[in-house]
């Protein structure tokens, strides 16, 4: 998109709900700014036998670098969150992630259409997983009713409520949210079947990804829990740590 520097967060990607965080972050820069990045860059190379190998291509922050040459003195690394996010991608692969995303979006649409058909105004016509509903003067009542069903919704203001779906949302959750808004008389199974047949989407065409992703073989090889655990063990066995000798 023409930006020089891009930063972001993986948000809930593979990381369970934890009171708003933490999450793995990422940063990308245009060519020419690499040496201004803090930390280390690892590049793909080949070993003495011609096999793919990884090597440290750039480092700008380690303790042995003189202070005036370093670009950052931040020493905290949330590696655990990055590992969790990456292993989530390894386990599900591109097809699994597409399936999760499509299901999440489908449930958001199901929620929104049910509310709209009951007279609740949805404030955005385009969304992925978060629906914002207008309930003039009733936001506190809706939130209280939802809490009574064990569901937490987001109060935007006195007139507006936000609801998000994710990979663990169930039809019972949608029914519970509908009930908090006072929705009655909608058969969730029939509406879901109707939306599946229509194949409509509220995601803008310009934001729909068409290119391939997660193309490395590792993202296609581990689909059972046993295989995943064996893969993690193999990675653990490859660890080269300081022995003190």
């Amino acid at each position: 998109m023409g930006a020089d520097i891009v930063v972001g967060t993986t948000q809930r990607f593979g990381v369970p709900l934890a009171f708003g965080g933490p999450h793995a972050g990422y940063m990308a820069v245009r060519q020419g700014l690499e040496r201004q990045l803090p930390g280390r860059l690892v590049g793909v190379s080949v070993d003495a036998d011609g096999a793919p190998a990884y090597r440290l291509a750039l480092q700008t922050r380690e303790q042995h670098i003189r202070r005036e040459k370093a670009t950052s003195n931040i020493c905290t690394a949330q590696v655990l969150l990055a590992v969790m996010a990456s292993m989530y991608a390894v386990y599900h692969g591109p097809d699994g992630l597409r399936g999760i995303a499509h299901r999440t979006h489908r449930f958001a649409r199901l929620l929104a259409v049910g509310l709209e058909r009951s007279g609740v105004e949805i404030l955005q016509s385009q969304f992925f997983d978060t629906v914002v509903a207008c309930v003039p003067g009733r936001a506190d009542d809706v939130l209280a009713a939802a809490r009574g069903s064990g569901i937490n919704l987001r109060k935007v203001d006195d007139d507006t409520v936000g609801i998000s779906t994710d990979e663990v949302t169930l039809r019972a959750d949608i029914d519970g949210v509908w009930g908090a808004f006072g929705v009655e008389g909608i058969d969730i199974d029939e509406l879901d079947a109707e939306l599946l047949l229509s194949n409509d989407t509220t995601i803008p065409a310009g934001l729909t990804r068409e290119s391939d992703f997660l193309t490395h073989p590792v993202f296609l090889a581990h689909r059972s829990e046993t295989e995943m655990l064996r893969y993690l063990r193999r990675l653990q066995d490859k660890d080269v740590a300081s022995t003190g000798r």
Side-chain angles (χ1 to χ4, degrees):
M1 295 183 177
D4 293 326
I5 304 170
V6 177
V7 295
T9 170
T10 60
Q11 297 184 0
R12 65 173 184 254
F13 192 85
V15 180
L17 186 66
F19 301 97
H23 309 291
Y26 55 86
M27 177 185 293
V29 299
R30 66 169 172 79
Q31 189 171 0
L33 295 179
E34 299 92 337
R35 291 191 174 275
Q36 300 302 314
L37 281 171
R40 295 166 287 177
L41 297 179
V42 177
V44 180
S45 184
V46 294
D47 63 15
D49 298 321
Y54 297 91
R55 59 179 290 275
L56 189 62
L58 176 68
Q59 57 184 9
T60 60
R61 202 193 63 188
E62 303 310 308
Q63 291 179 352
H64 61 272
I65 295 178
R66 288 181 298 176
R67 183 177 299 175
E68 64 272 17
K69 297 291 186 181
T71 59
S72 172
N73 61 0
I74 299 172
C75 299
T76 301
Q78 291 181 287
V79 174
L80 173 62
L81 288 310
V83 169
M84 291 171 69
S86 62
M87 291 303 105
Y88 184 78
V90 168
Y91 184 69
H92 292 288
D95 292 337
L97 293 182
R98 283 193 190 96
I100 290 170
H102 288 160
R103 181 185 184 277
T104 298
H105 179 56
R106 188 178 107 231
F107 273 66
R109 287 186 59 240
L110 182 64
L111 174 67
V113 172
L115 291 174
E116 285 183 315
R117 292 189 180 181
S118 297
V120 178
E121 180 186 1
I122 302 302
L123 296 183
Q124 297 111 334
S125 60
Q126 298 179 337
F127 55 83
F128 166 58
D129 62 355
T130 300
V131 176
V132 181
C134 181
V135 285
R138 294 199 305 121
D140 288 333
D141 293 337
V142 170
L143 265 65
R147 282 195 299 270
S149 299
I151 299 171
N152 285 322
L153 303 181
R154 178 169 62 95
K155 180 180 178 181
V156 178
D157 55 40
D158 290 340
D159 305 319
T160 317
V161 175
I163 316 106
S164 294
T165 58
D166 60 21
E167 56 265 53
V168 298
T169 299
L170 302 173
R171 283 182 170 81
D173 300 319
I174 302 297
D175 264 330
V177 173
W178 282 350
F181 279 86
V183 174
E184 297 179 348
I186 295 182
D187 187 303
I188 191 169
D189 294 324
E190 290 182 2
L191 181 56
D192 192 22
E194 176 188 331
L195 294 180
L196 281 173
L197 287 174
S198 70
N199 202 30
D200 290 336
T201 178
T202 58
I203 299 176
L207 297 181
T208 301
R209 182 167 186 161
E210 302 293 344
S211 58
D212 291 332
F213 60 98
L214 301 183
T215 57
H216 191 283
V218 74
F219 296 110
L220 306 171
H222 312 290
R223 289 295 173 272
S224 72
E225 189 171 326
T226 301
E227 280 299 318
M228 190 67 192
L229 290 173
R230 287 173 176 167
Y231 173 62
L232 292 173
R233 181 54 189 262
R234 289 197 297 273
L235 292 179
Q236 175 184 324
D237 292 342
K238 291 177 183 293
D239 182 44
V240 179
S242 175
T243 61
R245 292 197 297 268

